[in-house]
PDB file of all heavy atoms in Angstrom:
ATOM      1  N   THR S 515     -48.986  15.867 -29.221  1.00 93.00           N
ATOM      2  CA  THR S 515     -47.837  16.768 -29.061  1.00 93.00           C
ATOM      3  C   THR S 515     -48.284  18.190 -28.766  1.00 93.00           C
ATOM      4  O   THR S 515     -47.647  18.903 -27.981  1.00 93.00           O
ATOM      5  CB  THR S 515     -46.965  16.741 -30.323  1.00 93.00           C
ATOM      6  OG1 THR S 515     -46.543  15.413 -30.561  1.00 93.00           O
ATOM      7  CG2 THR S 515     -45.741  17.629 -30.158  1.00 93.00           C
ATOM      8  N   LEU S 519     -46.996  20.347 -25.550  1.00 94.00           N
ATOM      9  CA  LEU S 519     -46.384  21.678 -25.589  1.00 94.00           C
ATOM     10  C   LEU S 519     -47.129  22.640 -24.667  1.00 94.00           C
ATOM     11  O   LEU S 519     -46.510  23.429 -23.936  1.00 94.00           O
ATOM     12  CB  LEU S 519     -46.384  22.205 -27.022  1.00 94.00           C
ATOM     13  CG  LEU S 519     -45.375  21.582 -27.980  1.00 94.00           C
ATOM     14  CD1 LEU S 519     -45.688  21.992 -29.410  1.00 94.00           C
ATOM     15  CD2 LEU S 519     -43.956  21.973 -27.613  1.00 94.00           C
ATOM     16  N   THR S 594     -38.489  16.066 -30.220  1.00 84.00           N
ATOM     17  CA  THR S 594     -39.843  16.234 -30.737  1.00 84.00           C
ATOM     18  C   THR S 594     -39.954  17.413 -31.689  1.00 84.00           C
ATOM     19  O   THR S 594     -40.465  17.283 -32.800  1.00 84.00           O
ATOM     20  CB  THR S 594     -40.842  16.406 -29.576  1.00 84.00           C
ATOM     21  OG1 THR S 594     -40.751  15.267 -28.724  1.00 84.00           O
ATOM     22  CG2 THR S 594     -42.253  16.528 -30.096  1.00 84.00           C
ATOM     23  N   ILE S 595     -39.484  18.567 -31.280  1.00 79.00           N
ATOM     24  CA  ILE S 595     -39.627  19.756 -32.115  1.00 79.00           C
ATOM     25  C   ILE S 595     -38.762  19.634 -33.371  1.00 79.00           C
ATOM     26  O   ILE S 595     -39.166  20.021 -34.460  1.00 79.00           O
ATOM     27  CB  ILE S 595     -39.253  21.026 -31.340  1.00 79.00           C
ATOM     28  CG1 ILE S 595     -40.152  21.184 -30.104  1.00 79.00           C
ATOM     29  CG2 ILE S 595     -39.377  22.256 -32.222  1.00 79.00           C
ATOM     30  CD1 ILE S 595     -41.630  21.285 -30.427  1.00 79.00           C
ATOM     31  N   PRO S 611     -41.181  12.615 -38.850  1.00 34.00           N
ATOM     32  CA  PRO S 611     -42.098  13.731 -38.624  1.00 34.00           C
ATOM     33  C   PRO S 611     -43.052  13.381 -37.483  1.00 34.00           C
ATOM     34  O   PRO S 611     -43.963  12.567 -37.653  1.00 34.00           O
ATOM     35  CB  PRO S 611     -42.837  13.860 -39.955  1.00 34.00           C
ATOM     36  CG  PRO S 611     -42.750  12.513 -40.566  1.00 34.00           C
ATOM     37  CD  PRO S 611     -41.479  11.881 -40.066  1.00 34.00           C
ATOM     38  N   LEU S 612     -42.828  13.942 -36.315  1.00 38.00           N
ATOM     39  CA  LEU S 612     -43.600  13.540 -35.147  1.00 38.00           C
ATOM     40  C   LEU S 612     -44.959  14.225 -35.079  1.00 38.00           C
ATOM     41  O   LEU S 612     -45.840  13.771 -34.383  1.00 38.00           O
ATOM     42  CB  LEU S 612     -42.812  13.853 -33.873  1.00 38.00           C
ATOM     43  CG  LEU S 612     -41.484  13.103 -33.757  1.00 38.00           C
ATOM     44  CD1 LEU S 612     -40.811  13.448 -32.453  1.00 38.00           C
ATOM     45  CD2 LEU S 612     -41.721  11.608 -33.846  1.00 38.00           C
ATOM     46  N   ARG S 613     -45.097  15.334 -35.802  1.00 38.00           N
ATOM     47  CA  ARG S 613     -46.369  16.023 -35.750  1.00 38.00           C
ATOM     48  C   ARG S 613     -46.479  16.930 -36.959  1.00 38.00           C
ATOM     49  O   ARG S 613     -45.529  17.635 -37.277  1.00 38.00           O
ATOM     50  CB  ARG S 613     -46.472  16.853 -34.475  1.00 38.00           C
ATOM     51  CG  ARG S 613     -47.796  17.571 -34.361  1.00 38.00           C
ATOM     52  CD  ARG S 613     -47.826  18.504 -33.172  1.00 38.00           C
ATOM     53  NE  ARG S 613     -49.136  19.125 -33.082  1.00 38.00           N
ATOM     54  CZ  ARG S 613     -49.536  20.133 -33.831  1.00 38.00           C
ATOM     55  NH1 ARG S 613     -48.734  20.641 -34.737  1.00 38.00           N
ATOM     56  NH2 ARG S 613     -50.742  20.646 -33.688  1.00 38.00           N
ATOM     57  N   PRO S 614     -47.624  16.953 -37.660  1.00 28.00           N
ATOM     58  CA  PRO S 614     -47.785  17.874 -38.777  1.00 28.00           C
ATOM     59  C   PRO S 614     -47.549  19.312 -38.314  1.00 28.00           C
ATOM     60  O   PRO S 614     -48.029  19.720 -37.267  1.00 28.00           O
ATOM     61  CB  PRO S 614     -49.244  17.650 -39.217  1.00 28.00           C
ATOM     62  CG  PRO S 614     -49.576  16.288 -38.738  1.00 28.00           C
ATOM     63  CD  PRO S 614     -48.806  16.110 -37.465  1.00 28.00           C
ATOM     64  N   GLY S 615     -46.805  20.051 -39.097  1.00 37.00           N
ATOM     65  CA  GLY S 615     -46.565  21.449 -38.774  1.00 37.00           C
ATOM     66  C   GLY S 615     -45.319  21.692 -37.966  1.00 37.00           C
ATOM     67  O   GLY S 615     -44.934  22.827 -37.752  1.00 37.00           O
ATOM     68  N   LEU S 616     -44.681  20.626 -37.465  1.00 37.00           N
ATOM     69  CA  LEU S 616     -43.437  20.795 -36.722  1.00 37.00           C
ATOM     70  C   LEU S 616     -42.285  20.316 -37.583  1.00 37.00           C
ATOM     71  O   LEU S 616     -42.384  19.296 -38.263  1.00 37.00           O
ATOM     72  CB  LEU S 616     -43.459  19.995 -35.413  1.00 37.00           C
ATOM     73  CG  LEU S 616     -44.443  20.489 -34.366  1.00 37.00           C
ATOM     74  CD1 LEU S 616     -44.322  19.620 -33.127  1.00 37.00           C
ATOM     75  CD2 LEU S 616     -44.208  21.944 -34.031  1.00 37.00           C
ATOM     76  N   ARG S 617     -41.177  20.998 -37.534  1.00 39.00           N
ATOM     77  CA  ARG S 617     -40.035  20.626 -38.346  1.00 39.00           C
ATOM     78  C   ARG S 617     -39.434  19.318 -37.834  1.00 39.00           C
ATOM     79  O   ARG S 617     -39.541  18.978 -36.671  1.00 39.00           O
ATOM     80  CB  ARG S 617     -38.974  21.731 -38.302  1.00 39.00           C
ATOM     81  CG  ARG S 617     -39.440  22.979 -39.035  1.00 39.00           C
ATOM     82  CD  ARG S 617     -38.300  23.963 -39.189  1.00 39.00           C
ATOM     83  NE  ARG S 617     -38.759  25.131 -39.899  1.00 39.00           N
ATOM     84  CZ  ARG S 617     -38.776  25.238 -41.215  1.00 39.00           C
ATOM     85  NH1 ARG S 617     -38.356  24.241 -41.953  1.00 39.00           N
ATOM     86  NH2 ARG S 617     -39.201  26.343 -41.790  1.00 39.00           N
ATOM     87  N   HIS S 618     -38.796  18.607 -38.724  1.00 31.00           N
ATOM     88  CA  HIS S 618     -38.145  17.369 -38.331  1.00 31.00           C
ATOM     89  C   HIS S 618     -36.801  17.275 -39.051  1.00 31.00           C
ATOM     90  O   HIS S 618     -36.497  18.065 -39.927  1.00 31.00           O
ATOM     91  CB  HIS S 618     -39.020  16.161 -38.640  1.00 31.00           C
ATOM     92  CG  HIS S 618     -39.440  16.062 -40.072  1.00 31.00           C
ATOM     93  ND1 HIS S 618     -40.493  16.779 -40.576  1.00 31.00           N
ATOM     94  CD2 HIS S 618     -38.945  15.345 -41.103  1.00 31.00           C
ATOM     95  CE1 HIS S 618     -40.638  16.502 -41.861  1.00 31.00           C
ATOM     96  NE2 HIS S 618     -39.704  15.629 -42.205  1.00 31.00           N
ATOM     97  N   THR S 641     -37.797  19.548 -43.290  1.00 30.00           N
ATOM     98  CA  THR S 641     -38.831  20.379 -43.877  1.00 30.00           C
ATOM     99  C   THR S 641     -39.670  20.904 -42.741  1.00 30.00           C
ATOM    100  O   THR S 641     -39.584  20.428 -41.620  1.00 30.00           O
ATOM    101  CB  THR S 641     -39.720  19.576 -44.841  1.00 30.00           C
ATOM    102  OG1 THR S 641     -40.323  18.511 -44.121  1.00 30.00           O
ATOM    103  CG2 THR S 641     -38.902  19.019 -45.982  1.00 30.00           C
ATOM    104  N   GLY S 642     -40.502  21.869 -43.010  1.00 30.00           N
ATOM    105  CA  GLY S 642     -41.310  22.342 -41.903  1.00 30.00           C
ATOM    106  C   GLY S 642     -42.288  23.415 -42.300  1.00 30.00           C
ATOM    107  O   GLY S 642     -42.232  23.982 -43.373  1.00 30.00           O
ATOM    108  N   ALA S 643     -43.210  23.695 -41.400  1.00 29.00           N
ATOM    109  CA  ALA S 643     -44.187  24.753 -41.575  1.00 29.00           C
ATOM    110  C   ALA S 643     -44.641  25.190 -40.199  1.00 29.00           C
ATOM    111  O   ALA S 643     -44.297  24.585 -39.205  1.00 29.00           O
ATOM    112  CB  ALA S 643     -45.380  24.248 -42.391  1.00 29.00           C
ATOM    113  N   ARG S 644     -45.433  26.230 -40.180  1.00 31.00           N
ATOM    114  CA  ARG S 644     -45.891  26.740 -38.898  1.00 31.00           C
ATOM    115  C   ARG S 644     -47.000  25.848 -38.354  1.00 31.00           C
ATOM    116  O   ARG S 644     -47.939  25.497 -39.070  1.00 31.00           O
ATOM    117  CB  ARG S 644     -46.410  28.161 -39.064  1.00 31.00           C
ATOM    118  CG  ARG S 644     -46.720  28.845 -37.743  1.00 31.00           C
ATOM    119  CD  ARG S 644     -47.178  30.265 -37.997  1.00 31.00           C
ATOM    120  NE  ARG S 644     -47.403  30.953 -36.753  1.00 31.00           N
ATOM    121  CZ  ARG S 644     -46.462  31.594 -36.077  1.00 31.00           C
ATOM    122  NH1 ARG S 644     -45.236  31.606 -36.543  1.00 31.00           N
ATOM    123  NH2 ARG S 644     -46.737  32.215 -34.957  1.00 31.00           N
ATOM    124  N   GLY S 645     -46.890  25.479 -37.085  1.00 35.00           N
ATOM    125  CA  GLY S 645     -47.918  24.666 -36.469  1.00 35.00           C
ATOM    126  C   GLY S 645     -48.995  25.543 -35.855  1.00 35.00           C
ATOM    127  O   GLY S 645     -48.767  26.702 -35.536  1.00 35.00           O
ATOM    128  N   GLU S 647     -50.067  25.549 -32.995  1.00 38.00           N
ATOM    129  CA  GLU S 647     -49.770  25.919 -31.618  1.00 38.00           C
ATOM    130  C   GLU S 647     -48.886  27.153 -31.541  1.00 38.00           C
ATOM    131  O   GLU S 647     -48.543  27.616 -30.467  1.00 38.00           O
ATOM    132  CB  GLU S 647     -49.094  24.753 -30.883  1.00 38.00           C
ATOM    133  CG  GLU S 647     -47.617  24.555 -31.185  1.00 38.00           C
ATOM    134  CD  GLU S 647     -47.355  24.194 -32.617  1.00 38.00           C
ATOM    135  OE1 GLU S 647     -48.183  23.507 -33.236  1.00 38.00           O
ATOM    136  OE2 GLU S 647     -46.321  24.638 -33.137  1.00 38.00           O
ATOM    137  N   VAL S 649     -45.802  27.470 -32.655  1.00 42.00           N
ATOM    138  CA  VAL S 649     -44.377  27.193 -32.599  1.00 42.00           C
ATOM    139  C   VAL S 649     -43.863  27.019 -34.016  1.00 42.00           C
ATOM    140  O   VAL S 649     -44.353  26.178 -34.760  1.00 42.00           O
ATOM    141  CB  VAL S 649     -44.074  25.922 -31.782  1.00 42.00           C
ATOM    142  CG1 VAL S 649     -42.596  25.613 -31.819  1.00 42.00           C
ATOM    143  CG2 VAL S 649     -44.538  26.111 -30.356  1.00 42.00           C
ATOM    144  N   GLN S 650     -42.920  27.821 -34.389  1.00 40.00           N
ATOM    145  CA  GLN S 650     -42.355  27.717 -35.721  1.00 40.00           C
ATOM    146  C   GLN S 650     -40.848  27.582 -35.604  1.00 40.00           C
ATOM    147  O   GLN S 650     -40.170  28.465 -35.123  1.00 40.00           O
ATOM    148  CB  GLN S 650     -42.686  28.947 -36.565  1.00 40.00           C
ATOM    149  CG  GLN S 650     -42.199  28.827 -38.001  1.00 40.00           C
ATOM    150  CD  GLN S 650     -42.539  30.067 -38.810  1.00 40.00           C
ATOM    151  OE1 GLN S 650     -42.799  31.108 -38.234  1.00 40.00           O
ATOM    152  NE2 GLN S 650     -42.524  29.948 -40.109  1.00 40.00           N
ATOM    153  N   VAL S 651     -40.335  26.435 -35.983  1.00 41.00           N
ATOM    154  CA  VAL S 651     -38.902  26.216 -36.003  1.00 41.00           C
ATOM    155  C   VAL S 651     -38.438  26.682 -37.376  1.00 41.00           C
ATOM    156  O   VAL S 651     -38.469  25.939 -38.335  1.00 41.00           O
ATOM    157  CB  VAL S 651     -38.559  24.745 -35.764  1.00 41.00           C
ATOM    158  CG1 VAL S 651     -37.061  24.556 -35.726  1.00 41.00           C
ATOM    159  CG2 VAL S 651     -39.178  24.281 -34.465  1.00 41.00           C
TER     160      VAL S 651
END
Side-chain angles (χ1 to χ4, degrees):
T515 302
L519 286 168
T594 302
I595 301 300
L612 298 182
R613 181 186 182 282
L616 292 181
R617 291 190 179 273
H618 56 279
T641 59
R644 188 178 183 87
E647 78 296 327
V649 176
Q650 184 180 19
V651 183

